Amino acid sequence: MPRFNDKWKVGPHGQLEKLDEGLLTVAGEIHMPLGYFPRRMTVVGLSGQRTAIWSAIPLAEPQMREIEALGAPSFLIVPGPGHRLDIRPWKARYPEAKVICVPGARDAVEKAVKVDATSAIWADPSVELETVPGIEGKEAALLIRRESGITLVINDLLANVRHPHGIGAHIMARLLGFGVSQPQIPRVVRWMFVKDKKALATAFRKWADEPDLKRVIVSHGDVIADEPRKVLQRVAADLDG
């Protein structure tokens, strides 16, 4: 997979799905040898007819018009160092949009595009940006509060790849632990990035303690809507083990 795309290159993707008021998500795919690996973009409506784009994926024009109808893409969130692939063409398409990442990812992201901020600068209290502890400040999380409940958006800390396509994707998902049987922290993330298991477990438990938690959106795999609090609690317990 190339480090960055410079042009707007539309790959395989599904339809935008409305999960809640002002909350859209879409599943795409990255081509790899012998298959395709799933990735996911999330679009968050903000006050003032604006949107924040989490883990940007170029979409076909009908879907782009849906996003623009929700609000002008005003913030491009790069949730971790590994999610810079399409940030350049998105920034070129929306030059007024601000690029956001967390502090530990800034150096990596700036190899692709200039970073405007490492904190939430959108002045909308219903959408909180967090720097996840225990992983050297490299991963972001969002808490989105709506009347119907709370959505947690996290990046590579949890995967739920139940339906990998192709032999290569099956091998990668199973070998590296991308949640084929149940949502889990990918093995490669645990090996290479998790530096403080206790701090990360505490973060998972804090999210699980949100009484109105309705779903968890991950960057690789299906949305976790079936007992998301129990999923987070189990993952925290796994980190303790």
Side-chain angles (χ1 to χ4, degrees):
M1 184 180 69
R3 292 177 64 191
F4 319 119
N5 285 327
D6 290 314
K7 296 182 179 180
W8 191 267
K9 182 180 179 181
V10 178
H13 67 78
Q15 299 297 313
L16 283 161
E17 179 184 1
K18 182 178 179 179
L19 298 179
D20 209 325
E21 193 63 35
L23 181 60
L24 307 175
T25 190
V26 60
E29 294 182 328
I30 301 172
H31 184 260
M32 59 181 298
L34 303 177
Y36 291 85
F37 201 73
R39 60 174 176 163
R40 179 174 294 278
M41 177 174 75
T42 299
V43 181
V44 184
L46 301 169
S47 59
Q49 291 295 299
R50 304 168 300 161
T51 56
I53 311 298
W54 171 281
S55 195
I57 300 174
L59 303 182
E61 289 307 309
Q63 285 73 48
M64 293 306 300
R65 288 195 292 271
E66 285 187 57
I67 292 173
E68 291 165 351
L70 177 61
S74 303
F75 302 94
L76 307 177
I77 304 171
V78 184
H83 287 252
R84 304 167 291 171
L85 180 63
D86 289 300
I87 191 62
R88 282 180 177 173
W90 267 81
K91 178 63 174 177
R93 180 169 178 144
Y94 302 103
E96 298 303 314
K98 304 298 184 183
V99 176
I100 312 293
C101 71
V102 289
R106 182 168 196 152
D107 288 347
V109 175
E110 288 205 321
K111 292 177 181 178
V113 68
K114 181 182 179 296
V115 172
D116 294 291
T118 56
S119 61
I121 58 172
W122 42 73
D124 185 333
S126 69
V127 182
E128 302 172 32
L129 177 71
E130 297 184 7
T131 300
V132 180
I135 197 161
E136 297 185 321
K138 293 181 178 180
E139 289 277 308
L142 284 181
L143 278 173
I144 304 162
R145 301 182 186 276
R146 299 291 191 248
E147 288 187 8
S148 62
I150 294 172
T151 297
L152 170 67
V153 187
I154 52 179
N155 189 40
D156 290 336
L157 292 178
L158 200 58
N160 191 34
V161 180
R162 301 300 184 90
H163 315 290
H165 296 162
I167 295 173
H170 272 279
I171 292 172
M172 180 177 174
R174 293 182 183 279
L175 182 64
L176 299 181
F178 271 81
V180 176
S181 299
Q182 62 180 0
Q184 68 181 76
I185 300 175
R187 294 187 187 97
V188 65
V189 173
R190 292 183 70 129
W191 295 336
M192 296 181 63
F193 301 111
V194 177
K195 305 302 180 183
D196 187 335
K197 292 182 180 180
K198 182 177 180 181
L200 184 55
T202 298
F204 276 107
R205 290 194 174 94
K206 178 179 73 72
W207 295 327
D209 286 343
E210 292 282 354
D212 297 323
L213 184 67
K214 193 170 183 178
R215 66 181 66 83
V216 179
I217 304 175
V218 295
S219 290
H220 297 288
D222 299 339
V223 175
I224 301 166
D226 185 15
E227 299 187 313
R229 297 178 67 194
K230 289 186 177 180
V231 170
L232 297 176
Q233 291 164 350
R234 174 179 54 77
V235 173
D238 289 344
L239 284 165
D240 290 336

